[in-house]
Amino acid sequence: MALKIIKKPTPNFRRGRGRHTPIAIVIHIADGLNNKGGTDAHFANPSSGVSAHYLVNRSGVIHQYVDEKDTAIHAGIVFRSRWPLINTGSSPNSFTIGIEHEGFAGDTLRPDQEAASVELIRAICGRWNIPIDSLHIIPHNRIRANKTCPGAGVDVSRLIKLASDV
């Protein structure tokens, strides 16, 4: 499957990653932003102060907001983290890549959306030499326990299994 990626720049990012490189991917759901247009507008708004590297919409089209070499503002608040790779001396944003998925908490990914997400995960892991496993591809709630993101409908284990099957 050829990935269809549309660039959608955001002002909400930091150039570079300091001394870090990406070691993991954080999976999100764009809950409350309704659709790709809502997410695009939210990330384009400087007062929102948030972003992600990518959004996978329901039809499988991918929007890229932040270059992978830069830091997106997607998972910076650490609260009762259950992720063993967390580095309490740095924001998780500096060493992760954030992938949002169009939908609401509880939604399952649609077939084209899931396929595009799997291909995107494979591509990112290949570029950054990130292992495709549950230690390196995680739901947002493993960093911030008081969030349900990405919700019970997004089966991160399934994404990992499909991405690791070649």
Side-chain angles (χ1 to χ4, degrees):
M1 168 182 194
L3 293 176
K4 181 177 181 187
I5 298 177
I6 300 169
K7 304 273 187 181
K8 297 279 186 170
T10 175
N12 304 321
F13 74 100
R14 288 188 300 277
R15 292 212 184 279
R17 291 177 170 275
R19 65 186 188 280
H20 301 285
T21 58
I23 64 164
I25 296 171
V26 179
I27 304 296
H28 301 271
I29 192 87
D31 190 34
L33 299 177
N34 296 341
N35 57 47
K36 64 184 180 305
T39 304
D40 290 349
H42 189 63
F43 287 169
N45 182 350
S47 67
S48 77
V50 296
S51 62
H53 291 90
Y54 297 98
L55 167 80
V56 181
N57 75 24
R58 290 181 176 118
S59 65
V61 175
I62 299 168
H63 289 187
Q64 183 175 12
Y65 303 99
V66 178
D67 191 285
E68 292 175 11
K69 70 178 177 0
D70 294 322
T71 304
I73 315 300
H74 67 98
I77 296 173
V78 177
F79 181 78
R80 295 187 187 150
S81 175
R82 295 170 287 127
W83 185 39
L85 297 182
I86 198 77
N87 175 348
T88 56
S90 299
S91 166
N93 293 330
S94 63
F95 53 90
T96 60
I97 292 176
I99 302 176
E100 290 278 355
H101 293 82
E102 182 181 3
F104 295 94
D107 287 355
T108 57
L109 299 182
R110 295 185 180 170
D112 289 343
Q113 185 178 32
E114 179 180 74
S117 186
V118 164
E119 289 303 314
L120 180 60
I121 289 167
R122 279 187 190 139
I124 293 167
C125 289
R127 280 191 289 278
W128 295 99
N129 199 28
I130 298 171
I132 301 175
D133 61 30
S134 62
L135 189 59
H136 296 89
I137 301 166
I138 63 167
H140 183 197
N141 63 33
R142 287 197 55 204
I143 292 172
R144 187 173 176 185
N146 62 344
K147 295 282 256 184
T148 58
C149 182
V154 178
D155 188 344
V156 176
S157 296
R158 178 174 165 78
L159 293 175
I160 292 166
K161 181 186 179 326
L162 293 171
S164 63
D165 290 346
V166 179

